Amino acid sequence: MSDSKDNLVMEKLVSLCKRRGFIFQSSEIYGGINGFWDYGPLGAELKRNVKELWWNTMTRQRDDVAGLEATIIMSPEIWKASGHVATFSDPMIDCKTCKGRFRADHVGEISCPQKPSKMVAECHGEKTEPRAFNLMFQTFVGPVQDESSVAYLRPETAQAIFAQFKNVLETSRQKVPFGIAQVGKAFRNEVTPRNYIFRSREFEQMELEFFIKPDEVVEAICGQVAVPLPGATLTDPQPDWGWAAWHQYWVQERVRFYEGIGLSRETLGFHVQTPAELAHYARACTDILFKFPFSKRDENGELKGEELEGIAARSDFDLSQHARFSGKPMGVFDEELRAAWGKLAKDRQDDIWKRYYENRKGYLEKSGVAFEAASRQATEDANGLAKGQYIPHVIEPSAGVDRLILALLANAYSEATDTDAKGKSESRVVLKFHPRVAPIKVGVMPLLKNKPELVAKALAVRDLLRPWMNVFYDDAGSIGRRYARQDEAGTPFCVTVDFDTLGEKPELKDTVTIRHRDGGRQERLALGDLLSWILPQIR
Ligand code: ATP
């Protein structure tokens, strides 16, 4: 259990987020709606930055990933194929005394939705047996509301990627290995939304499905499958990588991403799923954790962390399911494989064929296909290798935008103490966001607002920077108060236009004061150098 000091941090953070316009309760004027949150002016900027950084890193900066933006409501068949209709549920229990409804595995740690850090005194009344509660929100498409018009709000963005796999492959001219990335809303009717925006009912995901060759195909083409040393740093994808190397690479890439936006290694943790925790089709899953103030502590008093992102090696399960349910082929043709297969010795072919056959048969049988039919289909699939055909496997790094926002806020939160001339101390909040994610990059201020020359020059500085970044112009109140306001919003730099900027000291003409949020250090910079000084720090 987290201790009261940790809870206090959450309480302060929640109140700051409301006061400064990061996050509001949805529908607040009507008393709110549990599990839904709105992002205010600063929150909307922060969120936009996070999504853009992810998108840039995962798609634009790479040759091997293409983007997708699919609809939220899709054919309900997709959710049958993915298994969500049958199994996407949590165990729910009711309390016969207080009539409360809880997730069976969360009882004992229920938090109050209004005050996310407060634990609600839990009723000890008799509970019902747990029963499965499907988390998908249902709706109806069209005017008739019956079984045939049922549809679902997507509970994850990933399935649209699988459903559009062939279209993206054909139009993007990509070849396996390659990925498809998507950012978008997801909806889960969580039994107990909790911990502020950590677990909500409407949230956003940033998901990549990275399609790779099955190990048997890599072996046929390269003669071997590279086995990564545990912990070895992987930065440069190689043709002989199998799923284990690709999985290790993506875990590390994602950690590099988090470090690049200010979450240091020490704030992160890992949970490697045990075979018992893994889905039957998954080969591995590593969760990247962030040590939130509400995270539980281990026996040494260290915060354990909660899931920010899961990176799963999902075999060829998803594409195979959609192939079976839609009747459309999801395999690819790989000329390299076809050519390599012909050059393999017969015993090598037989060996690879057999392993591929066993894997395919294993999947089909676990998916409920009868023995005979599974053997027939697996034979057909393994025969496809000689023709250069296979169903790609996939590595899935799946991150939550809102959880990341909360991690960034918790990570940035700090307090500074100012002491005035009379020795009176006052504590105030400084949000130490990495400049890349900070909602406002630069606060621009004239030293005095009643001096038109200063104001005109400061407005010119604002206009110089504005096409490139989010700038906030502020001329209200003392300069110290203006700096403090920007510190609280997490703005990394303030630019002040003073009389020296106007040429009072001729040698300082057209220079400005840069004031750093962290530490309050000030330096002077020529206006002509300002943009090239700021840009590399915020990108
Ligand atoms: P959890 O075990 O915490 O419920 P999960 O394993 O079901 O999460 P995934 O289905 O793997 O989550 O979803 C991928 C990511 O989406 C998670 O790592 C998380 O960041 C985010 N996410 C999932 N559910 C929620 C939610 N209810 N609210 C906010 N973010 C969520």
Side-chain angles (χ1 to χ4, degrees), residues 88 103 156 188 190 197-201 203-205 207 307-310 398-403:
F88 192 56
R103 224 174 103 169
E156 61 173 39
R188 296 183 188 179
E190 298 278 359
I197 56 171
F198 178 83
R199 184 178 302 287
S200 41
R201 289 177 165 141
F203 55 98
E204 277 192 90
Q205 289 184 316
E207 294 195 295
E307 178 181 331
L308 258 194
E309 165 161 2
S398 169
V401 178
D402 312 76
R403 284 192 190 177

Side-chain angles (χ1 to χ4, degrees), residues 139-151:
T139 186
F140 300 94
V141 173
V144 182
Q145 302 202 348
D146 63 14
E147 274 294 293
S148 68
S149 62
V150 166

Side-chain angles (χ1 to χ4, degrees), residues 209-222:
E209 301 303 327
F210 195 82
F211 299 97
I212 57 173
K213 296 174 190 186
D215 279 9
E216 295 81 8
V217 170
V218 174
E219 191 181 330
I221 295 172
C222 301

Side-chain angles (χ1 to χ4, degrees), residues 257-365:
F257 173 81
Y258 290 123
E259 286 181 316
I261 56 173
L263 302 184
S264 70
R265 248 341 132 99
E266 296 71 55
T267 65
L268 302 175
F270 298 92
H271 172 69
V272 178
Q273 289 192 8
T274 61
E277 290 173 296
L278 283 177
H280 70 80
Y281 48 80
R283 301 261 165 99
C285 185
T286 301
D287 295 336
I288 300 179
L289 317 177
F290 177 78
K291 295 171 186 167
F292 288 99
F294 52 79
S295 297
K296 295 189 188 82
R297 288 181 181 273
D298 64 17
E299 53 285 359
N300 302 320
E302 296 289 321
L303 285 173
K304 286 205 279 195
E306 313 287 329
E307 178 181 331
L308 258 194
E309 165 161 2
I311 297 130
R314 297 177 60 86
S315 72
D316 54 6
F317 176 77
D318 304 277
L319 287 180
S320 301
Q321 286 289 99
H322 287 297
R324 279 199 312 120
F325 277 71
S326 69
K328 304 281 188 317
M330 286 288 169
V332 296
F333 168 72
D334 190 326
E335 175 53 33
E336 247 188 310
L337 169 64
R338 200 193 58 76
W341 191 265
K343 294 183 196 143
L344 286 178
K346 177 77 173 62
D347 59 340
R348 201 73 197 279
Q349 284 181 348
D350 290 348
D351 178 41
I352 295 175
W353 188 100
K354 191 149 188 307
R355 276 182 279 134
Y356 192 72
Y357 166 87
E358 291 297 346
N359 280 338
R360 292 298 301 157
K361 190 151 104 13
Y363 150 72
L364 289 160
E365 279 178 2

Side-chain angles (χ1 to χ4, degrees), residues 51-69 161 168 174 178-183 206-210 250 253-254 257:
K51 290 191 286 183
E52 266 179 31
L53 282 161
W54 186 91
W55 186 263
N56 268 332
T57 310
M58 302 296 266
T59 63
R60 293 194 183 151
Q61 303 297 321
R62 303 184 62 105
D63 291 329
D64 57 359
V65 177
L68 179 72
E69 186 149 334
I161 296 180
V168 176
Q174 292 281 357
F178 82 103
I180 305 177
Q182 179 166 223
V183 178
M206 306 182 283
E207 294 195 295
L208 171 71
E209 301 303 327
F210 195 82
W250 275 113
E253 275 291 290
R254 299 301 304 139
F257 173 81

